């Protein structure tokens, strides 16, 4: 029988479901509704959640759609704004879980029963009273909201620790680091002078949970070639108590580590196979090093083919990217936080266009410009992360390994869309969106609605501008710059994805 896993508790709020008052809880395992009257709880397992979003701005409705049956659950929450970021974060995670494109960070289970994989939303009896061995509820982050009626905390908070999987042996000490033993098939194309085993690796990639366990024993998990790993310290994410992961996208998860020099850096651990990962990253790293002058816009990084092992793969090290830690927020969060500071949004957009222009002039295309790959730093500068789909001149004539976020890409983009002009369409989408939001901030709430994967325009708008409600509003705006940008968007869509009728410097000067 499933019970709420309070150790993975993320967000709670007073809410109503089917006119019944209670508490809505978002945990890493799913969404729970706990009625105030002690009646049966509703549980929507995370694996079954297809989508979750805020629906009615005025009525403060959260809509949760489950897959399989396409059932839709509507909850009314008291604190819509507080839920908004949590639900959108969760929605992104849910989508990735259900499409299998990334792994959700799953905190260690506390032994509560799991539902059958095919179960739909289920009703379960109220949690049993707290015993000494039960996990302690996290402090409630919401203000003036009720806690769920039970269970009550019995102990001081205990950070969850990941029990080793039943058959897993403990990770051996780093000095005993074994050599890579995974079967090697025909090696993929390699950068000169570098050997590869990951290129030939055909097994499953570690999940977020596998990496989470590795970070608990970081010193034993990292390959000694990365440096003084025995002096490294993994830093837990203060926003998701008990977890090490800071963010996760389609290809990997990001962790924060304090190095032997007491400085912080980021480690990206890959959760999916990406074609020619080694070749690409070694070459990108070499190219960026050579052209590092004037490229502060990109994070400094180093790719390690043999980086981290997991409990399930003790004899095999998976690659990692060691990067400069960027203190800041994603573009989407920055817009949300500064929605009433119109000047700042305009400035960020112009900054971004100028930096993209510099990058393009060095022959580089990022390939996946999107809200979550653009970080606005604490000093108001912009930095790009996620170089998995990057183009550099060495890649001329090759195919791109990634297609980028669809809501920022020309609908005609294909694997052959690969040059330093790769970002022109996304730059236009971003500049048009930010310019429009600066003129009319309501557009953000109305057309983004907490979606972390787009700004205000989506692929469906590009495919059908004629019937796009957001585009209709944009074209009706009086601002000349916006009118011009709309005209450029129409022209661009009539051309191919690498059209050079527009570029970031031209956009910045509008
Ligand atoms: N160097 C870094 N410092 C701080 N946060 C980062 C850094 N690199 C990435 N992130 C955060 O982690 C998220 C996921 O990383 P990313 O490289 O984009 O993974 P994916 O390829 O899976 O999309 C990013 O959207 C960003 O918010
Ligand atoms: Mg990304």
């Amino acid at each position: 029988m499933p019970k709420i896993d309070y150790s993975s508790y993320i967000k709670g709020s007073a809410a109503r479901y089917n006119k019944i008052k209670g508490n809505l809880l978002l945990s890493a395992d799913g969404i729970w509704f706990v009625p105030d009257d002690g009646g049966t709880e509703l549980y929507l397992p995370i694996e079954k959640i297809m989508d979750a979003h805020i629906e009615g701005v005025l009525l403060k409705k959260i809509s949760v759609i489950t897959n399989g049956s396409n059932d839709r659950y509507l909850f009314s929450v008291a604190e819509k704004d507080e839920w908004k970021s949590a639900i959108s974060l969760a929605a992104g995670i849910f989508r990735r879980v259900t499409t299998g494109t990334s792994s959700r960070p799953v905190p260690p289970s506390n032994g509560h029963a799991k539902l059958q994989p095919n179960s739909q939303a289920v009703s379960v009896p109220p949690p049993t009273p707290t015993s000494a061995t039960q996990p302690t509820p996290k402090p409630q982050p919401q203000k003036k909201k009720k806690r769920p009626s039970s269970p009550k905390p019995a102990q001081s908070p205990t950070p969850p620790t990941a029990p080793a999987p039943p058959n897993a042996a403990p990770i051996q000490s780093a000095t005993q680091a074994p050599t890579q033993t995974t079967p090697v098939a025909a090696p993929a194309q390699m950068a000169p002078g570098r050997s590869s085993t990951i290129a030939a690796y055909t097994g499953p990639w570690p999940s977020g949970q596998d990496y989470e366990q590795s970070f608990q024993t970081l010193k034993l998990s990292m390959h000694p070639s990365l440096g003084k790993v025995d002096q490294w310290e993994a830093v837990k994410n203060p926003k998701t108590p008990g977890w090490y992961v800071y963010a996760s996208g389609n290809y990997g998860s990001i962790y924060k580590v304090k190095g032997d020099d007491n400085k912080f850096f980021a480690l990206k651990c890959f959760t999916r196979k990406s074609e020619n990962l080694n070749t690409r990253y070694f070459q990108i790293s070499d190219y960026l090093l050579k052209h590092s002058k004037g490229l502060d816009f990109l994070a400094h990084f180093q790719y390690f083919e043999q980086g981290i092992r997991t409990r399930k793969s003790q004899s095999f090290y998976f690659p990692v990217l060691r990067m400069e830690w960027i203190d800041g927020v994603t573009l989407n969060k920055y817009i949300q936080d500064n929605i009433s500071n119109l000047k700042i949004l305009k400035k960020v957009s112009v900054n971004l266009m100028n930096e993209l222009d510099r990058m393009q002039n060095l022959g580089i295309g990022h390939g996946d410009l999107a809200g979550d790959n653009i970080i606005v730093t604490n000093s108001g500068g912009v930095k790009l992360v996620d170089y998995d789909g990057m183009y550099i001149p060495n890649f001329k004539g090759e195919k791109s390994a990634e297609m980028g976020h669809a809501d920022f890409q020309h609908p005609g983009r294909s694997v052959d869309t690969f040059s330093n002009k790769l970002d022109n369409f996304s730059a236009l989408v971003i500049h048009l969106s930010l310019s429009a939001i600066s003129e009319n901030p309501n557009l953000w709430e109305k057309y983004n609605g907490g979606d972390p994967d787009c700004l205000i325009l989506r692929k469906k708008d590009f495919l059908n501008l004629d019937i796009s409600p957001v585009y209709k509003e944009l074209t009706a705006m009086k601002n000349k710059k916006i009118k011009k940008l709309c005209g450029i968007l129409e022209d661009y869509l009539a051309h191919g994805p690498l059209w050079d009728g527009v570029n970031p410097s031209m956009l910045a000067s509008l």
Side-chain angles (χ1 to χ4, degrees):
M1 198 64 76
K3 293 196 192 80
I4 298 178
D5 176 0
Y6 282 97
S7 69
S8 64
Y9 168 85
I10 299 170
K11 194 107 203 142
S13 164
R16 277 174 192 266
Y17 173 67
N18 274 350
K19 297 189 180 155
I20 299 170
K21 274 190 182 176
N23 267 278
L24 190 63
L25 297 176
L26 172 65
S27 86
D29 284 340
I31 288 180
W32 298 78
F33 180 74
V34 186
D36 280 352
D37 61 8
T40 32
E41 294 173 355
L42 175 78
Y43 172 48
L44 304 171
I46 199 153
E47 300 83 359
K48 292 284 143 191
I49 293 172
M50 192 68 184
D51 194 15
H53 58 269
I54 299 281
E55 187 155 280
V57 174
L58 292 176
L59 293 172
K60 302 170 180 173
K61 291 255 192 257
I62 288 175
S63 168
V64 178
I65 299 171
T66 58
N67 60 355
S69 67
N70 274 344
D71 284 338
R72 194 157 160 268
Y73 298 83
L74 273 183
F75 303 95
S76 309
V77 283
E79 305 275 341
K80 186 224 4 152
D81 287 336
E82 279 199 13
W83 261 86
K84 210 169 149 175
S85 54
I87 205 82
S88 62
L89 171 89
I93 295 171
F94 299 153
R95 267 198 296 280
R96 285 164 191 142
V97 170
T98 50
T99 54
T101 53
S102 178
S103 35
R104 168 180 61 99
V106 185
S109 142
N110 289 284
H112 70 256
K114 287 276 176 237
L115 292 180
Q116 292 306 307
N118 290 330
S119 59
Q120 290 299 319
V122 290
S123 290
V124 295
T128 48
T130 311
S131 77
T133 54
Q134 265 187 309
T136 306
K138 292 288 165 207
Q140 306 279 314
Q142 75 273 18
K143 294 166 211 137
K144 286 185 264 155
K145 281 185 226 144
K146 287 180 206 162
R147 299 169 66 93
S149 45
S150 61
K152 297 279 186 287
Q155 298 172 323
S156 58
T158 350
T161 47
N167 298 323
I171 287 183
Q172 300 156 6
S173 91
T175 48
Q176 298 168 271
T179 48
Q180 310 259 45
T181 55
T182 301
V184 175
Q189 183 202 351
M190 282 304 304
R194 280 160 177 154
S195 66
S196 169
T197 47
I198 195 70
Y201 177 75
T202 51
W205 281 71
S207 66
Q209 180 165 21
D210 295 331
Y211 285 131
E212 202 60 35
Q213 289 178 340
S214 299
F215 274 82
Q216 293 184 343
T217 50
L218 186 72
K219 296 167 196 181
L220 299 178
S221 306
M222 303 310 301
H223 195 277
S225 65
L226 266 75
K228 295 180 184 161
V229 296
D230 55 326
Q231 291 173 39
W232 288 8
E233 226 176 89
V235 183
K236 280 187 181 165
N237 183 350
K239 291 192 183 141
T240 49
W243 296 3
Y244 285 100
V245 66
Y246 271 71
S248 59
N250 270 342
Y251 279 86
S253 299
I254 299 292
Y255 300 86
K256 188 173 183 177
V257 175
K258 192 160 135 197
D260 46 290
D261 56 359
N262 280 334
K263 289 195 180 130
F264 296 106
F265 61 86
L267 280 182
K268 177 170 180 172
C269 299
F270 298 87
T271 47
R272 263 177 101 184
K273 180 180 167 67
S274 173
E275 225 37 68
N276 296 326
L277 188 73
N278 283 342
T279 323
R280 282 189 287 118
Y281 262 115
F282 282 133
Q283 295 195 45
I284 293 170
S285 151
D286 287 350
Y287 189 82
L288 295 187
L289 261 182
K290 274 190 210 128
H291 298 86
S292 58
K293 224 173 161 203
L295 273 184
D296 286 348
F297 177 47
L298 301 177
H300 302 287
F301 75 87
Q302 215 179 341
Y303 175 80
F304 293 89
E305 183 194 345
Q306 294 185 47
I308 188 166
R309 57 181 169 166
T310 67
R311 282 185 182 154
K312 285 184 193 149
S313 68
Q314 293 202 30
S315 58
F316 193 83
Y317 285 85
F318 291 88
V320 292
L321 209 59
R322 178 183 168 153
M323 282 180 284
E324 146 195 11
W325 180 261
I326 303 173
D327 270 318
V329 294
T330 61
L331 180 62
N332 279 48
K333 170 107 176 49
Y334 191 79
I335 297 172
Q336 184 68 47
D337 294 348
N338 291 284
I339 196 67
S340 50
N341 196 345
L342 308 181
K343 265 195 196 153
I344 260 193
L345 291 184
K346 268 189 196 159
K347 208 172 136 207
V348 163
S349 193
V350 171
N351 254 351
L352 181 65
M353 296 304 125
N354 286 330
E355 298 286 10
L356 288 175
D357 181 52
R358 251 192 289 282
M359 207 174 76
Q360 202 172 78
N361 290 338
L362 284 169
I364 304 168
H366 179 272
D368 191 8
L369 284 190
D372 57 2
N373 289 334
I374 299 167
I375 306 214
V376 185
T377 62
N378 294 346
S379 56
V382 270
K383 287 227 179 202
L384 291 191
V385 293
D386 196 350
Y387 311 139
D388 297 355
M390 184 170 269
Y391 173 87
I392 52 167
N394 313 32
F395 297 166
K396 192 162 187 234
E398 291 186 12
K399 299 202 182 297
S400 75
E402 278 198 39
M403 299 296 227
H405 286 51
D407 294 337
F408 289 83
Q409 299 302 326
H410 190 290
R413 180 170 175 185
S414 73
V415 288
D416 296 315
T417 310
F418 208 34
S419 87
N420 64 332
K421 308 266 186 276
L422 190 57
D423 301 320
N424 281 350
F425 189 82
S426 328
L428 171 61
V429 171
I430 295 168
H431 199 56
L432 169 57
S433 304
L434 286 178
S435 307
I437 296 162
S438 315
E439 288 298 315
N440 177 6
N442 295 332
L443 292 170
W444 179 247
E445 176 84 39
K446 194 164 168 191
Y447 293 109
N448 175 272
D451 187 341
D453 291 323
C454 73
L455 295 178
I456 53 173
L457 287 155
R458 291 175 172 81
K459 184 177 180 179
K460 65 175 176 3
D461 300 306
F462 308 142
L463 287 171
N464 262 314
L465 279 186
D466 293 348
I467 54 162
S468 154
V470 55
Y471 191 64
K472 196 170 165 198
E473 275 204 50
L474 295 182
T475 46
M477 287 169 82
K478 293 214 172 75
N479 184 290
K480 278 194 192 137
K481 177 174 154 192
I482 293 172
K483 284 208 180 307
K484 234 184 216 173
L485 288 167
C486 285
I488 298 174
L489 178 64
E490 285 180 31
D491 276 357
Y492 206 147
L493 287 167
H495 288 84
L498 292 178
W499 185 52
D500 57 5
V502 65
N503 59 58
S505 79
M506 180 250 234
L507 290 172
S509 67
L510 281 180

PDB file of all heavy atoms in Angstrom, residues 338-360:
ATOM      1  N   ASN A 338      11.237  39.186 -13.255  1.00  0.00           N
ATOM      2  CA  ASN A 338      11.380  40.607 -13.616  1.00  0.00           C
ATOM      3  C   ASN A 338      10.259  41.084 -14.519  1.00  0.00           C
ATOM      4  O   ASN A 338      10.446  42.007 -15.306  1.00  0.00           O
ATOM      5  CB  ASN A 338      12.724  40.822 -14.323  1.00  0.00           C
ATOM      6  CG  ASN A 338      13.870  40.652 -13.362  1.00  0.00           C
ATOM      7  OD1 ASN A 338      14.148  41.524 -12.550  1.00  0.00           O
ATOM      8  ND2 ASN A 338      14.512  39.501 -13.427  1.00  0.00           N
ATOM      9  N   ILE A 339       9.120  40.437 -14.386  1.00  0.00           N
ATOM     10  CA  ILE A 339       8.033  40.717 -15.310  1.00  0.00           C
ATOM     11  C   ILE A 339       7.571  42.185 -15.221  1.00  0.00           C
ATOM     12  O   ILE A 339       7.032  42.736 -16.172  1.00  0.00           O
ATOM     13  CB  ILE A 339       6.856  39.718 -15.114  1.00  0.00           C
ATOM     14  CG1 ILE A 339       5.921  39.744 -16.305  1.00  0.00           C
ATOM     15  CG2 ILE A 339       6.145  39.906 -13.803  1.00  0.00           C
ATOM     16  CD1 ILE A 339       6.515  39.216 -17.564  1.00  0.00           C
ATOM     17  N   SER A 340       7.837  42.806 -14.100  1.00  0.00           N
ATOM     18  CA  SER A 340       7.420  44.211 -14.016  1.00  0.00           C
ATOM     19  C   SER A 340       8.600  45.157 -14.285  1.00  0.00           C
ATOM     20  O   SER A 340       8.462  46.365 -14.182  1.00  0.00           O
ATOM     21  CB  SER A 340       6.820  44.486 -12.637  1.00  0.00           C
ATOM     22  OG  SER A 340       7.715  44.012 -11.670  1.00  0.00           O
ATOM     23  N   ASN A 341       9.744  44.607 -14.622  1.00  0.00           N
ATOM     24  CA  ASN A 341      10.910  45.449 -14.884  1.00  0.00           C
ATOM     25  C   ASN A 341      11.240  45.397 -16.379  1.00  0.00           C
ATOM     26  O   ASN A 341      12.130  44.691 -16.834  1.00  0.00           O
ATOM     27  CB  ASN A 341      12.099  44.914 -14.057  1.00  0.00           C
ATOM     28  CG  ASN A 341      13.206  45.920 -13.975  1.00  0.00           C
ATOM     29  OD1 ASN A 341      13.230  46.882 -14.742  1.00  0.00           O
ATOM     30  ND2 ASN A 341      14.123  45.697 -13.061  1.00  0.00           N
ATOM     31  N   LEU A 342      10.444  46.170 -17.119  1.00  0.00           N
ATOM     32  CA  LEU A 342      10.469  46.037 -18.573  1.00  0.00           C
ATOM     33  C   LEU A 342      11.814  46.376 -19.201  1.00  0.00           C
ATOM     34  O   LEU A 342      12.263  45.740 -20.158  1.00  0.00           O
ATOM     35  CB  LEU A 342       9.373  46.908 -19.176  1.00  0.00           C
ATOM     36  CG  LEU A 342       7.992  46.653 -18.559  1.00  0.00           C
ATOM     37  CD1 LEU A 342       6.937  47.509 -19.199  1.00  0.00           C
ATOM     38  CD2 LEU A 342       7.619  45.179 -18.688  1.00  0.00           C
ATOM     39  N   LYS A 343      12.458  47.392 -18.609  1.00  0.00           N
ATOM     40  CA  LYS A 343      13.735  47.841 -19.191  1.00  0.00           C
ATOM     41  C   LYS A 343      14.763  46.726 -19.146  1.00  0.00           C
ATOM     42  O   LYS A 343      15.523  46.507 -20.077  1.00  0.00           O
ATOM     43  CB  LYS A 343      14.263  49.025 -18.385  1.00  0.00           C
ATOM     44  CG  LYS A 343      13.882  50.344 -18.993  1.00  0.00           C
ATOM     45  CD  LYS A 343      14.724  51.435 -18.364  1.00  0.00           C
ATOM     46  CE  LYS A 343      14.117  52.789 -18.662  1.00  0.00           C
ATOM     47  NZ  LYS A 343      14.471  53.753 -17.622  1.00  0.00           N
ATOM     48  N   ILE A 344      14.786  46.046 -18.019  1.00  0.00           N
ATOM     49  CA  ILE A 344      15.774  44.986 -17.806  1.00  0.00           C
ATOM     50  C   ILE A 344      15.621  43.874 -18.830  1.00  0.00           C
ATOM     51  O   ILE A 344      16.589  43.337 -19.358  1.00  0.00           O
ATOM     52  CB  ILE A 344      15.642  44.446 -16.358  1.00  0.00           C
ATOM     53  CG1 ILE A 344      16.709  45.078 -15.505  1.00  0.00           C
ATOM     54  CG2 ILE A 344      15.757  42.967 -16.281  1.00  0.00           C
ATOM     55  CD1 ILE A 344      16.891  44.419 -14.173  1.00  0.00           C
ATOM     56  N   LEU A 345      14.383  43.521 -19.149  1.00  0.00           N
ATOM     57  CA  LEU A 345      14.148  42.435 -20.103  1.00  0.00           C
ATOM     58  C   LEU A 345      14.662  42.810 -21.486  1.00  0.00           C
ATOM     59  O   LEU A 345      15.265  42.003 -22.191  1.00  0.00           O
ATOM     60  CB  LEU A 345      12.657  42.088 -20.175  1.00  0.00           C
ATOM     61  CG  LEU A 345      12.072  41.424 -18.935  1.00  0.00           C
ATOM     62  CD1 LEU A 345      10.621  41.050 -19.184  1.00  0.00           C
ATOM     63  CD2 LEU A 345      12.853  40.170 -18.553  1.00  0.00           C
ATOM     64  N   LYS A 346      14.437  44.070 -21.873  1.00  0.00           N
ATOM     65  CA  LYS A 346      14.926  44.551 -23.169  1.00  0.00           C
ATOM     66  C   LYS A 346      16.440  44.463 -23.201  1.00  0.00           C
ATOM     67  O   LYS A 346      17.039  44.032 -24.176  1.00  0.00           O
ATOM     68  CB  LYS A 346      14.514  46.012 -23.370  1.00  0.00           C
ATOM     69  CG  LYS A 346      13.216  46.162 -24.088  1.00  0.00           C
ATOM     70  CD  LYS A 346      12.993  47.615 -24.441  1.00  0.00           C
ATOM     71  CE  LYS A 346      11.550  47.831 -24.798  1.00  0.00           C
ATOM     72  NZ  LYS A 346      11.116  49.189 -24.697  1.00  0.00           N
ATOM     73  N   LYS A 347      17.057  44.876 -22.099  1.00  0.00           N
ATOM     74  CA  LYS A 347      18.524  44.915 -22.040  1.00  0.00           C
ATOM     75  C   LYS A 347      19.100  43.496 -22.162  1.00  0.00           C
ATOM     76  O   LYS A 347      20.079  43.271 -22.878  1.00  0.00           O
ATOM     77  CB  LYS A 347      18.937  45.528 -20.691  1.00  0.00           C
ATOM     78  CG  LYS A 347      20.274  46.222 -20.766  1.00  0.00           C
ATOM     79  CD  LYS A 347      20.566  46.973 -19.506  1.00  0.00           C
ATOM     80  CE  LYS A 347      22.002  46.702 -19.115  1.00  0.00           C
ATOM     81  NZ  LYS A 347      22.238  46.828 -17.699  1.00  0.00           N
ATOM     82  N   VAL A 348      18.473  42.556 -21.473  1.00  0.00           N
ATOM     83  CA  VAL A 348      18.954  41.175 -21.526  1.00  0.00           C
ATOM     84  C   VAL A 348      18.891  40.651 -22.959  1.00  0.00           C
ATOM     85  O   VAL A 348      19.805  39.986 -23.445  1.00  0.00           O
ATOM     86  CB  VAL A 348      18.133  40.277 -20.572  1.00  0.00           C
ATOM     87  CG1 VAL A 348      18.307  38.815 -20.902  1.00  0.00           C
ATOM     88  CG2 VAL A 348      18.547  40.523 -19.139  1.00  0.00           C
ATOM     89  N   SER A 349      17.816  40.991 -23.658  1.00  0.00           N
ATOM     90  CA  SER A 349      17.664  40.488 -25.019  1.00  0.00           C
ATOM     91  C   SER A 349      18.741  41.063 -25.937  1.00  0.00           C
ATOM     92  O   SER A 349      19.351  40.343 -26.732  1.00  0.00           O
ATOM     93  CB  SER A 349      16.267  40.841 -25.542  1.00  0.00           C
ATOM     94  OG  SER A 349      16.022  40.122 -26.713  1.00  0.00           O
ATOM     95  N   VAL A 350      18.989  42.361 -25.807  1.00  0.00           N
ATOM     96  CA  VAL A 350      20.020  42.983 -26.655  1.00  0.00           C
ATOM     97  C   VAL A 350      21.394  42.397 -26.314  1.00  0.00           C
ATOM     98  O   VAL A 350      22.197  42.062 -27.196  1.00  0.00           O
ATOM     99  CB  VAL A 350      19.998  44.526 -26.493  1.00  0.00           C
ATOM    100  CG1 VAL A 350      21.193  45.161 -27.190  1.00  0.00           C
ATOM    101  CG2 VAL A 350      18.697  45.082 -27.052  1.00  0.00           C
ATOM    102  N   ASN A 351      21.667  42.224 -25.029  1.00  0.00           N
ATOM    103  CA  ASN A 351      22.918  41.586 -24.572  1.00  0.00           C
ATOM    104  C   ASN A 351      23.106  40.230 -25.240  1.00  0.00           C
ATOM    105  O   ASN A 351      24.173  39.910 -25.734  1.00  0.00           O
ATOM    106  CB  ASN A 351      22.787  41.256 -23.075  1.00  0.00           C
ATOM    107  CG  ASN A 351      23.596  42.179 -22.243  1.00  0.00           C
ATOM    108  OD1 ASN A 351      24.372  42.941 -22.781  1.00  0.00           O
ATOM    109  ND2 ASN A 351      23.424  42.114 -20.929  1.00  0.00           N
ATOM    110  N   LEU A 352      22.030  39.463 -25.191  1.00  0.00           N
ATOM    111  CA  LEU A 352      22.066  38.108 -25.722  1.00  0.00           C
ATOM    112  C   LEU A 352      22.354  38.139 -27.226  1.00  0.00           C
ATOM    113  O   LEU A 352      23.201  37.388 -27.730  1.00  0.00           O
ATOM    114  CB  LEU A 352      20.717  37.424 -25.441  1.00  0.00           C
ATOM    115  CG  LEU A 352      20.552  35.997 -25.888  1.00  0.00           C
ATOM    116  CD1 LEU A 352      21.493  35.083 -25.127  1.00  0.00           C
ATOM    117  CD2 LEU A 352      19.116  35.526 -25.644  1.00  0.00           C
ATOM    118  N   MET A 353      21.674  39.031 -27.952  1.00  0.00           N
ATOM    119  CA  MET A 353      21.878  39.116 -29.404  1.00  0.00           C
ATOM    120  C   MET A 353      23.333  39.472 -29.714  1.00  0.00           C
ATOM    121  O   MET A 353      23.947  38.913 -30.619  1.00  0.00           O
ATOM    122  CB  MET A 353      20.932  40.164 -30.041  1.00  0.00           C
ATOM    123  CG  MET A 353      19.460  39.815 -29.920  1.00  0.00           C
ATOM    124  SD  MET A 353      19.050  38.202 -30.619  1.00  0.00           S
ATOM    125  CE  MET A 353      18.270  37.396 -29.235  1.00  0.00           C
ATOM    126  N   ASN A 354      23.902  40.408 -28.950  1.00  0.00           N
ATOM    127  CA  ASN A 354      25.294  40.814 -29.195  1.00  0.00           C
ATOM    128  C   ASN A 354      26.253  39.656 -28.958  1.00  0.00           C
ATOM    129  O   ASN A 354      27.191  39.439 -29.717  1.00  0.00           O
ATOM    130  CB  ASN A 354      25.671  42.003 -28.307  1.00  0.00           C
ATOM    131  CG  ASN A 354      25.023  43.276 -28.812  1.00  0.00           C
ATOM    132  OD1 ASN A 354      24.798  43.411 -30.030  1.00  0.00           O
ATOM    133  ND2 ASN A 354      24.687  44.192 -27.917  1.00  0.00           N
ATOM    134  N   GLU A 355      25.998  38.895 -27.905  1.00  0.00           N
ATOM    135  CA  GLU A 355      26.874  37.750 -27.603  1.00  0.00           C
ATOM    136  C   GLU A 355      26.738  36.677 -28.684  1.00  0.00           C
ATOM    137  O   GLU A 355      27.716  36.075 -29.115  1.00  0.00           O
ATOM    138  CB  GLU A 355      26.517  37.141 -26.240  1.00  0.00           C
ATOM    139  CG  GLU A 355      26.701  38.086 -25.056  1.00  0.00           C
ATOM    140  CD  GLU A 355      28.159  38.307 -24.675  1.00  0.00           C
ATOM    141  OE1 GLU A 355      29.050  37.889 -25.438  1.00  0.00           O
ATOM    142  OE2 GLU A 355      28.395  38.905 -23.620  1.00  0.00           O
ATOM    143  N   LEU A 356      25.502  36.461 -29.145  1.00  0.00           N
ATOM    144  CA  LEU A 356      25.284  35.450 -30.194  1.00  0.00           C
ATOM    145  C   LEU A 356      26.006  35.860 -31.471  1.00  0.00           C
ATOM    146  O   LEU A 356      26.554  35.025 -32.198  1.00  0.00           O
ATOM    147  CB  LEU A 356      23.786  35.296 -30.482  1.00  0.00           C
ATOM    148  CG  LEU A 356      22.956  34.604 -29.401  1.00  0.00           C
ATOM    149  CD1 LEU A 356      21.475  34.623 -29.766  1.00  0.00           C
ATOM    150  CD2 LEU A 356      23.413  33.152 -29.204  1.00  0.00           C
ATOM    151  N   ASP A 357      26.003  37.167 -31.716  1.00  0.00           N
ATOM    152  CA  ASP A 357      26.683  37.670 -32.908  1.00  0.00           C
ATOM    153  C   ASP A 357      28.183  37.365 -32.823  1.00  0.00           C
ATOM    154  O   ASP A 357      28.793  36.874 -33.776  1.00  0.00           O
ATOM    155  CB  ASP A 357      26.441  39.182 -32.993  1.00  0.00           C
ATOM    156  CG  ASP A 357      27.095  39.769 -34.215  1.00  0.00           C
ATOM    157  OD1 ASP A 357      26.851  39.223 -35.312  1.00  0.00           O
ATOM    158  OD2 ASP A 357      27.877  40.726 -34.078  1.00  0.00           O
ATOM    159  N   ARG A 358      28.760  37.612 -31.650  1.00  0.00           N
ATOM    160  CA  ARG A 358      30.197  37.327 -31.451  1.00  0.00           C
ATOM    161  C   ARG A 358      30.475  35.844 -31.699  1.00  0.00           C
ATOM    162  O   ARG A 358      31.445  35.477 -32.333  1.00  0.00           O
ATOM    163  CB  ARG A 358      30.588  37.672 -29.996  1.00  0.00           C
ATOM    164  CG  ARG A 358      31.460  38.917 -29.908  1.00  0.00           C
ATOM    165  CD  ARG A 358      32.047  39.049 -28.515  1.00  0.00           C
ATOM    166  NE  ARG A 358      31.058  39.418 -27.499  1.00  0.00           N
ATOM    167  CZ  ARG A 358      30.609  40.638 -27.329  1.00  0.00           C
ATOM    168  NH1 ARG A 358      31.047  41.616 -28.101  1.00  0.00           N
ATOM    169  NH2 ARG A 358      29.726  40.918 -26.409  1.00  0.00           N
ATOM    170  N   MET A 359      29.602  35.027 -31.178  1.00  0.00           N
ATOM    171  CA  MET A 359      29.780  33.588 -31.296  1.00  0.00           C
ATOM    172  C   MET A 359      29.679  33.154 -32.765  1.00  0.00           C
ATOM    173  O   MET A 359      30.499  32.380 -33.258  1.00  0.00           O
ATOM    174  CB  MET A 359      28.671  32.910 -30.486  1.00  0.00           C
ATOM    175  CG  MET A 359      29.016  31.557 -29.972  1.00  0.00           C
ATOM    176  SD  MET A 359      27.711  30.952 -28.890  1.00  0.00           S
ATOM    177  CE  MET A 359      26.472  30.494 -30.065  1.00  0.00           C
ATOM    178  N   GLN A 360      28.701  33.716 -33.449  1.00  0.00           N
ATOM    179  CA  GLN A 360      28.502  33.361 -34.857  1.00  0.00           C
ATOM    180  C   GLN A 360      29.703  33.780 -35.694  1.00  0.00           C
ATOM    181  O   GLN A 360      30.131  33.063 -36.600  1.00  0.00           O
ATOM    182  CB  GLN A 360      27.234  34.061 -35.365  1.00  0.00           C
ATOM    183  CG  GLN A 360      26.640  33.410 -36.570  1.00  0.00           C
ATOM    184  CD  GLN A 360      25.291  33.999 -36.945  1.00  0.00           C
ATOM    185  OE1 GLN A 360      25.226  35.073 -37.541  1.00  0.00           O
ATOM    186  NE2 GLN A 360      24.222  33.313 -36.617  1.00  0.00           N
TER     187      GLN A 360
END
